[in-house]
Amino acid sequence: MKYAPHPRQIIRYRAPTRINHWIVAICFVLTALSGLALFHPALFPLTQLFGGGPWTRILHPFIGLVMVLGFALLAIRMWRDNLPAADDRAWLRGMRDVLRNEDEKLPPVGRFNAGQKLLFWAIIGCLSALLLTGFVIWRQYFSHFFPIGVIRFSVLAHALFGWVLVCAIVVHIYAALWIKGSVRAMTQGKVTYGWAYKHHRQWFRDILRGRREEG
């Protein structure tokens, strides 16, 4: 069953949330590129984007801190909507229907579906690990407080969680492009009634019934 776009629109993300999101997104790209440049000699030419090797080493942790702080602000806005709900397991069991874009066969979804919630908490976990290990291997300020064994372990863990985060963001981007209208929600802030009903029916109903505000 397909739903025709409805001319009326509803606010999904307000301007502060959208600005916050794109600041984090830009910082992620810069942190990922600088991190890859330091990860392997074959990728070292990427340091030219940041003014060379020394500047890449200097900027990488600071940009990373801005990214973590930015996402922390985003998480404060969104954590309640990402708590587990009764229908999340049913949504995950219906993954085949999700891939077929047959949302009408799925249980009504709140502001975020189970997949988005898993991604949200995965990103929090990765960023927390990257923050902790990043401090340990930040030679200019903190490394001298830790034994060499801890530093070596932190280097490996930092790289591992960095790759996991990159994979998680790739999934996030793919899903946003796959679900038509999602990118517009984060650029313009609004979605159509038809989009809201199809993809986040419970959230849509709660707004219409006055149980929660838009955005």
Side-chain angles (χ1 to χ4, degrees):
M1 181 177 180
K2 295 184 178 180
Y3 297 93
H6 196 288
R8 297 186 64 183
Q9 294 185 322
I10 191 170
I11 298 174
R12 181 146 175 85
Y13 301 113
R14 297 189 183 276
T17 300
R18 301 199 309 274
I19 293 171
N20 193 164
H21 170 273
W22 290 113
I23 289 174
V24 173
I26 292 170
C27 288
F28 168 78
V29 172
L30 295 176
T31 306
L33 289 174
S34 57
L36 288 171
L38 300 173
F39 179 74
H40 193 276
L43 300 173
F44 192 75
L46 290 173
T47 59
Q48 298 304 311
L49 297 172
F50 302 91
W55 272 110
T56 302
R57 289 184 178 276
I58 292 170
L59 292 174
H60 176 77
F62 285 106
I63 299 173
L65 277 177
V66 175
M67 177 180 66
V68 170
L69 292 175
F71 191 84
L73 293 175
L74 204 60
I76 291 172
R77 298 174 185 273
M78 297 182 171
W79 71 271
R80 286 187 179 86
D81 290 315
N82 281 283
L83 293 175
D87 290 330
D88 285 343
R89 289 186 178 182
W91 189 92
L92 291 172
R93 287 195 297 268
M95 186 57 64
R96 182 176 297 180
D97 296 323
V98 174
L99 297 177
R100 291 175 177 174
N101 202 26
E102 296 176 346
D103 295 64
E104 66 277 2
K105 296 182 180 180
L106 299 168
V109 173
R111 190 181 185 192
F112 300 113
N113 61 47
Q116 291 171 310
K117 292 177 181 180
L118 288 174
L119 185 65
F120 175 83
W121 294 109
I123 292 174
I124 286 181
C126 286
L127 288 180
S128 299
L130 288 169
L131 180 65
L132 293 175
T133 56
F135 277 127
V136 174
I137 63 178
W138 198 345
R139 294 187 178 277
Q140 187 175 2
Y141 299 108
F142 302 105
S143 288
H144 58 277
F145 291 115
F146 302 95
I148 188 64
V150 173
I151 295 174
R152 288 172 176 170
F153 174 80
S154 296
V155 169
L156 292 174
H158 196 78
L160 174 62
F161 282 105
W163 279 109
V164 173
L165 179 62
V166 168
C167 292
I169 297 302
V170 168
V171 171
H172 173 61
I173 294 172
Y174 178 80
L177 295 174
W178 179 46
I179 303 297
K180 186 178 179 181
S182 297
V183 174
R184 183 179 61 186
M186 193 52 79
T187 54
Q188 301 179 20
K190 296 180 179 180
V191 295
T192 64
Y193 273 33
W195 187 96
Y197 181 82
K198 179 178 181 181
H199 298 295
H200 298 274
R201 195 175 311 160
Q202 190 58 53
W203 170 74
F204 177 66
R205 289 171 175 170
D206 287 344
I207 289 176
L208 292 186
R209 294 169 182 170
R211 294 177 181 173
R212 63 174 299 157
E213 296 181 354
E214 296 181 44

